[in-house]
């Protein structure tokens, strides 16, 4: 849990080649400070605060007491990467070891060399500084005071033991309370028996009254049912007689209609002959409709077990299948999936399509005179769109354009993937630039290799323009072509560069 109890000391360190006397921070910590003794440093150079990021720089510190105690080489935490502020919390064990001494410290920074090449190694050492470590007052309590604390604890222990003894005696006297509870229980039983006897008498009275009421209701209901039954019987008899008359009439009419249709059918057979099953098949065969069965009657793909046999796969008839053990040996691709077989008459061209059930990919095997291998036919595309970024170290976006439509574009980069090809594009639009200035820090994965490309400078004819360099670390610099002394405050860069990986 963080309680925000800390003792922070702030100090500015500058990367410069001038040797200066050891600087006393003017601060001190105690040997009982635990996770609260914090040193904060602002790292800078002649151009201002260093831009520190875990992807490009690492900061370390080392401490040594004048009694010979030393710390580990400790990595500093980055508090504000834009202002170059880093912090370190002093270890409590080191503070104990350095009690009543002066501690000397030093900070180091190194550039992360992603290429592992010696010529790219960069390390800087900052000036030394000192601070004091004092002994906390509580460590100076006398032996007499400690004995007094022990005597007070003994008295407290005796008091607690007496209270425990009193509680045990009270529990031993609990038998009297049990006898009293049994007496109260007996009184309660007698009261409940009286209540039960009174309740039985009341319930018998209610039962007798209910029987009388139910008998009266039954007699009244029987009389009503008899009346309704007689009325219903008469109505049903009348309805039945009417229905019989209607049925007889309809039956006579239906018989006459069927007889007429039978006579009509007999006359048709006599005139045209009877259609036999053989004649029916011949007539159906003359119709132009799809007669080949591609799926089951329910439209489902038929299961086919191929056992990784390529010949069995290639001999499949046209149709739709769900293959098990399909002979396709590609990493990550399941051998179970949907198969479509297409054939061009007279069988000289054949195409087999396979879609694994667990992927969005599609593979095709084709036959023309000879069989080919599996080919992936779907495409894998992605586009990040334009991702804006800000210029740094005083460089800013130019907003005063001359002859640029739509007020120009902002600084941004874009990554597009089309199958196995990756195309990257970067745009620059900036001013307030100087020779060899670091103008941007971009993601380290944007540039796989170092790049150098020209950039338009539309505002002057006194120089031949400029160019941009980018390193795999993401560092981007601007350089002026020609005489840099002619560069003026109104000059700006504007351009776009693309490359493929």
């Amino acid at each position: 849990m963080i309680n925000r109890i800390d003792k922070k000391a702030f100090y500015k360190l500058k990367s410069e080649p001038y040797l200066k006397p050891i600087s006393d921070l003017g601060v001190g910590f105690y040997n009982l400070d635990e996770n609260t003794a914090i040193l904060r440093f602002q790292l800078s150079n002649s151009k201002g605060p260093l831009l520190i990021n875990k992807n490009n720089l690492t900061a370390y510190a080392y401490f040594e007491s004048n009694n010979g105690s030393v710390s580990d080489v400790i990595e500093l935490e980055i508090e504000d990467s834009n202002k170059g502020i880093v912090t370190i919390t002093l270890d409590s064990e080191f503070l104990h070891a350095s009690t009543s001494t002066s501690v000397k410290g030093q900070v180091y920074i190194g550039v992360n060399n992603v290429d592992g090449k010696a010529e790219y190694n960069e390390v800087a050492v900052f000036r030394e500084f000192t601070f004091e470590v004092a002994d906390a007052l509580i460590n100076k309590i006398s032996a007499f005071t400690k004995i007094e604390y022990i005597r007070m604890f003994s008295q407290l222990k005796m008091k607690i033991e007496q209270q425990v003894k009193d509680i045990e005696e009270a529990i031993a006297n609990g038998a009297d309370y049990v006898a009293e509870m049994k007496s109260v229980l007996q009184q309660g039983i007698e009261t409940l028996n009286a209540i039960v006897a009174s309740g039985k008498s009341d319930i018998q009275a209610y039962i007798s009254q209910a029987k009388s009421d139910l008998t009266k209701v039954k007699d009244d209901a029987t009389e009503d049912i008899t009346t309704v039954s007689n009325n219903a019987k008469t109505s049903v008899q009348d309805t039945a007689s009417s229905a019989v008359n209607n049925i007889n009439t309809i039956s006579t009419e239906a018989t006459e209609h069927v007889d007429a249709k039978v006579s009509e059918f007999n006359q048709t057979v006599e005139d045209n002959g009877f259609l036999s099953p053989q004649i029916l098949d011949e007539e159906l065969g003359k119709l132009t409709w799809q007669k080949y069965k591609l799926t089951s009657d329910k439209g489902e793909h038929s299961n086919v077990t191929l056992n990784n046999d390529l010949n069995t796969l290639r001999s499949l008839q046209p149709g739709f299948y769900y293959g098990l053990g399909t002979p396709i040996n590609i990493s990550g691709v399941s051998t179970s999936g949907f198969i479509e077989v297409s054939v061009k008459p007279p069988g000289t061209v054949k195409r087999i399509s396979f879609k694994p059930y667990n992927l969005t990919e599609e593979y095709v095997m084709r036959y023309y005179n000879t069989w080919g291998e599996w080919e992936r036919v779907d495409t894998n595309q992605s586009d990040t769109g334009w991702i804006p970024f800000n210029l740094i170290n005083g460089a800013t976006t130019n907003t005063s354009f001359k002859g640029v439509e739509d007020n120009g574009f902002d600084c941004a980069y874009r990554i597009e993937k089309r199958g196995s090809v990756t195309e990257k594009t970067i745009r620059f639009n900036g001013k307030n630039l100087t020779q060899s200035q670091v103008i941007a820090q971009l993601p380290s994965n944007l540039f796989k290799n170092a790049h150098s490309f020209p950039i338009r400078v539309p505002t002057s004819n006194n120089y031949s323009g400029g160019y941009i360099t980018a390193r795999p670390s993401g560092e981007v610099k601007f350089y002026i072509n020609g005489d840099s002394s002619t560069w003026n405050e109104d000059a700006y860069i504007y351009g776009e560069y693309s490359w493929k990986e």
Side-chain angles (χ1 to χ4, degrees):
M1 181 176 68
I2 300 176
N3 292 316
R4 299 189 180 278
I5 300 175
D6 52 45
K7 300 161 66 176
K8 294 183 178 179
F10 184 71
Y11 188 66
K12 295 183 178 181
L13 293 177
K14 193 170 185 179
S15 175
E16 55 187 2
Y18 307 110
L19 293 176
K20 295 183 179 181
I22 297 176
S23 175
D24 187 354
L25 295 184
V27 299
F29 299 105
Y30 289 96
N31 55 8
L32 288 187
D33 290 334
E34 184 172 355
N35 297 326
T36 56
I38 300 174
L39 293 175
R40 299 172 69 240
F41 303 97
Q42 184 176 39
L43 308 181
S44 61
N45 55 19
S46 60
K47 295 183 180 180
L50 294 178
L51 301 180
I52 299 177
N53 185 280
K54 64 181 181 179
N55 293 327
N56 59 350
L57 291 177
T58 304
Y60 304 90
Y62 176 75
F63 301 95
E64 181 179 282
S65 169
N66 58 14
N67 69 359
S69 300
V70 296
S71 71
D72 295 330
V73 178
I74 308 171
E75 184 175 348
L76 279 67
E77 297 182 4
I78 299 174
E79 181 177 305
D80 191 330
S81 60
N82 293 325
K83 295 182 180 179
I85 297 178
V86 294
T87 65
I88 182 173
T89 302
L90 296 176
D91 182 66
S92 60
E93 294 183 1
F94 176 71
L95 292 177
H96 277 288
S98 305
T99 301
S100 301
T101 67
S102 176
V103 176
K104 185 190 301 181
Q106 197 167 49
V107 173
Y108 316 85
I109 61 171
V111 176
N112 296 334
N113 187 350
V114 296
D115 292 332
K117 298 180 179 179
E119 61 268 24
Y120 291 159
N121 292 338
E122 296 181 10
V123 178
V125 182
F126 292 87
R127 62 183 298 192
E128 297 180 5
F129 54 87
T130 63
F131 59 87
E132 303 296 325
V133 179
D135 191 13
L137 290 178
I138 195 171
N139 291 330
K140 301 176 182 178
I141 296 176
S142 66
F144 175 78
T145 303
K146 294 178 181 179
I147 292 174
E148 284 294 313
Y149 288 159
I150 294 172
R151 187 174 61 83
M152 291 172 61
F153 174 78
S154 298
Q155 293 175 351
L156 177 61
K157 178 182 178 184
M158 293 174 60
K159 185 175 181 181
I160 292 174
E161 288 177 346
Q162 181 60 42
Q163 290 180 350
V164 171
K165 182 178 180 181
D166 294 341
I167 292 172
E168 290 176 346
E169 292 177 355
I171 293 174
N173 295 329
D176 295 338
Y177 297 114
V178 172
E180 185 177 349
M181 292 170 62
K182 288 182 178 180
S183 176
V184 173
L185 175 61
Q186 183 61 35
Q187 294 176 6
I189 292 174
E190 294 174 357
T191 302
L192 288 174
N193 289 337
I195 293 172
V196 170
S198 176
K200 285 182 177 180
S201 177
D202 293 339
I203 290 172
Q204 290 296 335
Y206 292 146
I207 291 173
S208 299
Q209 182 63 40
K211 285 182 177 180
S212 176
D213 293 341
L214 286 174
T215 301
K216 185 177 183 305
V217 171
K218 182 196 69 171
D219 294 341
D220 293 343
T222 300
E223 184 178 352
D224 292 341
I225 291 171
T226 302
T227 301
V228 172
S229 174
N230 293 333
N231 294 335
K233 184 177 181 181
T234 302
S235 177
V236 169
Q237 289 176 346
D238 294 341
T239 302
S241 300
S242 177
V244 169
N245 294 333
N246 290 334
I247 290 172
N248 290 332
T249 302
I250 294 173
S251 176
T252 301
E253 293 176 353
T255 300
E256 294 175 351
H257 179 74
V258 170
D259 291 341
K261 289 298 180 181
V262 171
S263 299
E264 182 180 349
F265 175 76
N266 292 333
Q267 185 63 43
T268 300
V269 171
E270 183 179 350
D271 295 339
N272 301 309
F274 185 76
L275 187 63
S276 65
Q278 181 180 357
I279 298 175
L280 177 60
D281 291 340
E282 293 176 355
E283 293 298 326
L284 290 175
K286 297 177 182 179
L287 299 177
T288 57
W289 58 287
Q290 176 64 40
K291 305 178 183 64
Y292 188 84
K293 191 173 184 179
L294 296 174
T295 65
S296 69
D297 294 338
K298 295 182 179 180
E300 299 173 340
H301 288 45
S302 301
N303 287 329
V304 57
T305 301
L306 300 171
N307 294 324
N308 202 35
D309 189 336
L310 195 59
N311 292 329
T312 302
L313 172 69
R314 291 173 175 175
S315 62
L316 289 176
Q317 296 301 310
F320 300 100
Y321 306 89
Y322 187 82
L324 303 173
T326 305
I328 181 169
N329 187 20
I330 298 177
S331 176
V333 177
S334 173
T335 59
S336 297
F338 296 94
I339 298 175
E340 179 182 346
V341 180
S342 303
V343 178
K344 175 186 179 298
T348 56
V349 178
K350 194 170 186 177
R351 178 187 178 100
I352 300 175
S353 171
F354 176 66
K355 299 177 181 178
Y357 82 96
N358 62 335
L359 300 173
T360 58
E361 302 171 1
E362 181 178 0
Y363 296 86
V364 170
M365 180 179 292
R366 296 176 293 165
Y367 174 79
Y368 180 71
N369 296 326
T370 60
W371 279 102
E373 300 296 330
W374 286 113
E375 302 174 71
R376 182 174 175 178
V377 296
D378 63 296
T379 57
N380 184 16
Q381 298 184 359
S382 64
D383 187 353
T384 63
W386 289 108
I387 302 176
F389 65 87
N390 295 323
L391 300 179
I392 61 175
N393 293 330
T396 59
T397 300
N398 179 48
T399 57
S400 302
F401 293 96
K402 297 180 180 179
V404 179
E405 297 181 358
D406 301 327
N407 293 325
F409 48 66
D410 294 329
C411 295
Y413 66 89
R414 183 176 189 174
I415 301 175
E416 300 175 85
K417 292 185 178 180
R418 306 179 189 89
S420 60
V421 178
T422 299
E423 183 173 3
K424 299 180 179 180
T425 306
I426 190 167
R427 289 175 169 177
F428 287 97
N429 172 21
K431 63 179 183 178
N432 298 332
L433 309 174
T434 59
Q435 179 71 291
S436 71
Q437 178 183 0
V438 177
I439 63 174
Q441 181 63 50
L442 299 174
S444 59
N445 62 348
L446 184 61
F447 303 100
K448 185 176 181 181
N449 303 305
H451 288 260
S452 178
F453 50 88
I455 191 73
R456 292 179 56 226
V457 183
T459 54
S460 175
N461 296 322
N462 296 331
Y463 34 81
S464 58
Y467 64 95
I468 299 291
T469 64
R471 300 178 63 181
S473 64
E475 180 187 78
V476 179
K477 286 187 176 182
F478 169 71
Y479 293 91
I480 303 169
N481 282 338
D483 185 5
S484 62
S485 63
T486 61
W487 190 263
N488 57 65
E489 295 181 353
D490 295 331
Y492 68 93
I493 61 174
Y494 186 84
E496 180 177 289
Y497 174 70
S498 298
W499 70 98
K500 295 181 179 180
E501 295 180 354

